[in-house]
């Protein structure tokens, strides 16, 4: 009974490859939307999060204002469920009637939601990375006359990046899954929507299994890569513990 | 009269309520090697870090070749391009090869070309018998080799004064000699140095002036033949007895 409902090969095949007679989008095609969204969102997240992290780590009193604003943003973006942001953006932005903001595509709104949410998480990962570079490295960089910017560029950030690669991949895995939430607001047939339609047409839940497998096909390899990098980083740090 | 390399007048430094340096005055003349001795916590490291503005002094004046460094307008990075420092724990950059560790300062801070910086780095590595390590990463080197690379990294900047902060304290006793030999060689070339050390015999050998610090004050200061052999102050004598009797390590 369980297998018939959730893992029915017949319905799984139809879900994955589509069924022209029922005019159903193949799920592999729908999944391309999710993949595209996360592939475009991730670099943006990595880019946007860096200045947030650096500004929040900066000690200069001149930056107290921006620091406060960014701290509030990070708290907000990490504290509010993504689904809430998604619904607010998709059903709120278009009726605001603001020239640039109100006339964007579903894809652009989706990017905004993901970057808004994940840049906050990733900025915290960066911050932890920068802080885990020992202060002795900062001293060594200053000792050879580097400016504070050069110190970040050549000493702190390269070392912090090594430390954060694995946690960043974990966040990427999570972002990849959350593209499904975008589908709830976007009104386009991405993977989750496609699975729902399928389920509605055939009264069979196997399409959800297909959706799960497709997400897993990206998540699992990435997670393995993250684990491997983490183990490698740990070994390197143990080997280099003298310096 | 020659202009002193470094002149400290009444230097003070406090961390919160804790006074670490309490009115230190000393001079490093050209070609001089001044050794700071004293127990841990006597202020040696802080004194060195104040000299190249890694730590801002709380009071007093620091002048480098007659130029007063006290003003806030003096940028630390400019001073540190002239005054090198080597740390107890080497602090090499673990993500860069030996060669890149050495060339980073000349290339980034001094604007030297890659070729020029590398040629010079290789020359220095050659001179101190480390040429074959140029492309290794620091974690492949012994502690003694790492510390020698750290000294070369400071030398590559062509410093006019070198500060050495207990550079053998983190080393295996067997590796101390190779590092001290390098410092002796530098002293012989006339490089002005201000160094903190626990190696009393080495200090006797290499120093032109010994400065004994206790609780952030200079207790006694003079040539090694006086301070180390015939200390005038009872506190110096007690310190030396403890080091020379209790600790058989010698430079």
């Amino acid at each position: 009974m369980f297998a018939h409902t959730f893992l029915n090969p017949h319905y799984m095949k139809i879900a994955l490859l589509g069924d022209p007679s029922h005019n159903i989008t193949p799920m592999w095609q729908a999944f391309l939307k999710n993949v595209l969204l996360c592939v475009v969102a991730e670099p943006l997240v990595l880019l946007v999060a860096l200045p947030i992290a650096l500004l929040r780590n900066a000690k200069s009193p001149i930056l107290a204002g921006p620091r406060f604003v960014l701290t509030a943003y990070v708290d907000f973006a990490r504290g509010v469920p993504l689904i809430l942001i998604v619904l607010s953006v998709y059903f709120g932005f278009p009726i605001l009637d603001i020239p640039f903001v109100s006339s964007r595509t579903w894809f652009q709104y989706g990017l905004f939601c993901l970057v808004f949410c994940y840049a906050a998480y990733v900025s915290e990962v960066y911050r932890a990375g920068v802080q885990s570079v020992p202060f002795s490295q900062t001293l060594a960089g200053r000792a050879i006359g580097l400016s504070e910017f050069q110190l970040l560029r050549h000493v702190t950030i390269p070392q912090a990046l090594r430390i954060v690669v694995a946690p960043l991949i974990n966040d990427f895995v999570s972002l990849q899954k959350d593209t499904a939430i975008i589908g709830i607001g976007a009104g386009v047939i991405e993977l989750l929507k496609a699975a729902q339609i399928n389920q509605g047409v055939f009264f069979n839940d196997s399409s959800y299994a297909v959706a799960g497998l497709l997400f897993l096909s990206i998540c699992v390899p990435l997670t393995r890569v993250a684990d491997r990098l983490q183990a490698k980083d740990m070994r390197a740090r143990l080997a280099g513990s003298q310096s | 009269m020659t202009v002193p390399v470094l002149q400290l007048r009444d230097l003070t430094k406090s961390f919160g309520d804790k006074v670490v340096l309490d009115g230190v005055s000393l001079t490093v003349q050209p070609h001089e090697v001044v050794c700071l001795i004293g127990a841990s916590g006597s202020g040696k490291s802080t004194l060195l870090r104040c000299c190249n503005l890694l730590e801002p002094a709380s009071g007093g004046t620091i002048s480098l070749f007659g130029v007063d460094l006290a003003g806030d307008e003096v940028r630390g990075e400019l001073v540190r391009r002239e005054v090198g420092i080597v740390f107890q724990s080497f602090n090499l950059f673990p993500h860069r090869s030996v060669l890149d560790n050495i060339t980073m300062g000349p290339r980034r801070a001094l604007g030297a070309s890659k070729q020029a910086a590398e040629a010079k780095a290789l020359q220095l590595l050659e001179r101190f018998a480390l040429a074959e390590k140029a492309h290794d990463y620091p974690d492949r080197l012994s502690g003694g080799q790492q510390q020698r690379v750290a000294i070369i990294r400071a030398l590559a900047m062509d410093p006019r004064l070198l500060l050495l902060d207990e550079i053998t304290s983190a080393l295996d006793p067997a590796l101390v000699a190779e590092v001290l030999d390098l410092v002796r060689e530098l002293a012989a070339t006339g490089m002005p140095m201000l160094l903190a050390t626990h190696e009393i015999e080495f200090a006797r050998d290499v120093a032109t002036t010994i400065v004994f610090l206790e609780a952030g004050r200079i207790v006694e200061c003079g040539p090694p033949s006086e301070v180390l052999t015939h200390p005038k102050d009872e506190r110096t004598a007690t310190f030396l007895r403890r080091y020379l009797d209790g600790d058989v390590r010698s430079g």
Side-chain angles (χ1 to χ4, degrees):
Chain A
M1 195 58 206
F2 178 88
H4 176 80
T5 308
F6 288 103
L7 297 168
N8 193 315
H10 173 66
Y11 290 115
M12 284 175 83
K13 189 174 164 225
I14 292 178
L16 183 65
L17 302 175
D19 179 0
S21 62
H22 287 86
N23 194 22
I24 287 174
T25 316
M27 282 178 69
W28 71 264
Q29 253 176 31
F31 188 48
L32 292 181
K33 290 199 176 72
N34 299 67
V35 172
L36 187 65
L37 198 55
C38 80
V39 164
V40 177
E42 180 65 16
L44 285 173
V45 167
L46 293 176
L47 212 67
V48 170
L50 189 61
I52 297 172
L54 293 178
L55 277 168
R56 287 196 69 205
N57 262 353
K59 293 194 176 63
S60 161
I62 308 162
L63 298 170
R67 250 194 328 262
F68 178 80
V69 173
L70 289 173
T71 305
Y73 152 70
V74 170
D75 286 352
F76 180 80
R78 293 200 307 166
V80 173
L82 177 61
I83 180 82
L84 237 155
I85 309 278
V86 167
L87 294 175
S88 308
V89 166
Y90 278 103
F91 299 111
F93 279 17
I95 56 171
L96 283 180
D97 208 19
I98 301 171
F100 184 77
V101 175
S102 298
S103 55
R104 299 290 105 193
T105 63
W106 75 269
F107 190 79
Q108 289 164 330
Y109 282 145
L111 277 184
F112 174 81
C113 294
L114 289 171
V115 172
F116 181 86
C117 174
Y118 274 90
Y121 281 102
V122 168
S123 77
E124 287 297 280
V125 172
Y126 281 154
R127 237 156 61 86
V130 167
Q131 282 168 353
S132 64
V133 177
F135 183 65
S136 59
Q137 289 291 310
T138 300
L139 279 180
R142 287 193 184 138
I144 52 169
L146 300 185
S147 67
E148 292 304 300
F149 176 77
Q150 290 171 326
L151 188 64
L152 275 177
R153 161 83 180 71
H154 298 291
V155 178
T156 315
I157 291 179
Q159 290 186 62
L161 282 181
R162 268 148 220 249
I163 298 169
V164 300
V165 168
L168 284 181
I169 293 177
N170 286 330
D171 275 347
F172 182 52
V173 165
S174 165
L175 183 151
Q176 196 270 133
K177 289 188 299 178
D178 279 355
T179 55
I181 295 177
I182 299 299
I184 294 174
V188 294
I189 300 172
E190 50 66 66
L191 187 57
L192 181 75
K193 269 279 160 54
Q196 280 178 321
I197 291 170
N198 228 284
Q199 197 268 350
V201 170
F202 298 106
F203 292 106
N204 184 286
D205 287 12
S206 298
S207 59
Y208 291 134
V210 173
L213 287 172
L214 284 171
F215 277 125
L216 285 172
S217 72
I218 289 194
C219 288
V220 171
L222 273 176
T223 314
R224 289 283 78 78
V225 170
D227 284 354
R228 198 163 298 179
L229 286 170
Q230 215 145 22
K232 199 173 143 203
D233 179 56
M234 190 53 75
R235 274 200 305 277
R237 272 198 266 180
L238 288 176
S241 60
Q242 200 170 20
S243 55
Chain B
M1 203 189 115
T2 54
V3 182
V5 174
L6 177 77
Q7 192 158 34
L8 309 177
R9 282 193 216 87
D10 207 24
L11 190 72
T12 59
K13 173 70 186 178
S14 316
F15 293 101
D17 289 342
K18 193 170 158 38
V19 178
V20 181
L21 296 175
D22 190 8
V24 173
S25 300
L26 65 81
T27 306
V28 181
Q29 299 289 356
H31 310 308
E32 253 198 334
V33 176
V34 176
C35 280
L36 304 170
I37 60 171
S40 298
S42 57
K44 302 186 297 291
S45 288
T46 307
L47 176 57
L48 292 175
R49 287 177 190 195
C50 285
C51 291
N52 67 353
L53 308 185
L54 273 180
E55 287 286 354
S58 307
T61 63
I62 304 166
S63 67
L64 195 67
F65 294 97
V67 179
D68 191 5
L69 305 185
D72 276 349
E73 71 276 12
V74 177
R75 290 204 296 170
E77 64 210 59
L78 298 181
V79 172
R80 291 188 286 273
R81 289 170 194 175
E82 313 260 339
V83 181
I85 186 165
V86 182
F87 303 97
Q88 181 176 338
S89 50
F90 332 141
N91 302 7
L92 292 179
F93 306 124
H95 63 302
R96 294 296 186 89
S97 68
V98 163
L99 191 63
D100 289 346
N101 261 275
I102 298 169
T103 57
M104 189 189 290
R107 286 182 62 195
R108 306 301 170 194
L110 303 180
S113 73
K114 189 169 190 272
Q115 288 100 321
E118 286 188 350
K120 185 168 176 195
L122 287 168
Q123 201 184 337
L124 283 164
L125 285 167
E126 192 87 45
R127 180 172 150 203
F128 298 112
L130 283 165
E132 78 279 13
K133 302 288 180 192
H135 298 286
D136 281 353
Y137 280 80
D139 60 5
R140 302 287 304 275
L141 273 57
S142 74
Q145 289 169 335
Q146 288 191 48
Q147 191 60 296
R148 279 150 65 205
V149 170
I151 296 172
I152 293 173
R153 181 172 68 179
L155 288 177
M157 299 288 290
D158 277 328
R160 300 169 76 189
L161 168 67
L162 200 54
L163 309 168
L164 306 176
D165 188 4
E166 291 189 31
I167 56 170
T168 57
S169 298
L171 292 178
D172 238 37
L175 302 173
V176 168
E178 62 184 81
V179 173
L180 294 185
D181 285 344
L182 197 163
V183 178
R184 277 198 190 88
E185 204 179 318
L186 287 179
T189 66
M191 170 70 75
M193 287 186 275
L194 178 59
L195 55 101
T197 186
H198 287 299
E199 306 284 341
I200 304 295
E201 289 311 320
F202 165 73
R204 191 195 303 278
D205 205 30
V206 80
T208 43
T209 306
I210 301 280
V211 175
F212 175 59
L213 275 178
E214 193 183 81
R217 288 166 179 273
I218 293 181
V219 172
E220 202 167 342
C221 170
S225 56
E226 287 174 20
V227 179
L228 297 180
T229 315
H230 306 291
K232 292 193 194 75
D233 197 291
E234 186 47 39
R235 287 170 292 178
T236 318
T238 310
F239 171 80
L240 289 173
R241 261 200 307 280
R242 209 170 52 234
Y243 261 87
L244 295 175
D245 297 347
D247 194 53
V248 290
R249 278 194 295 165
S250 68

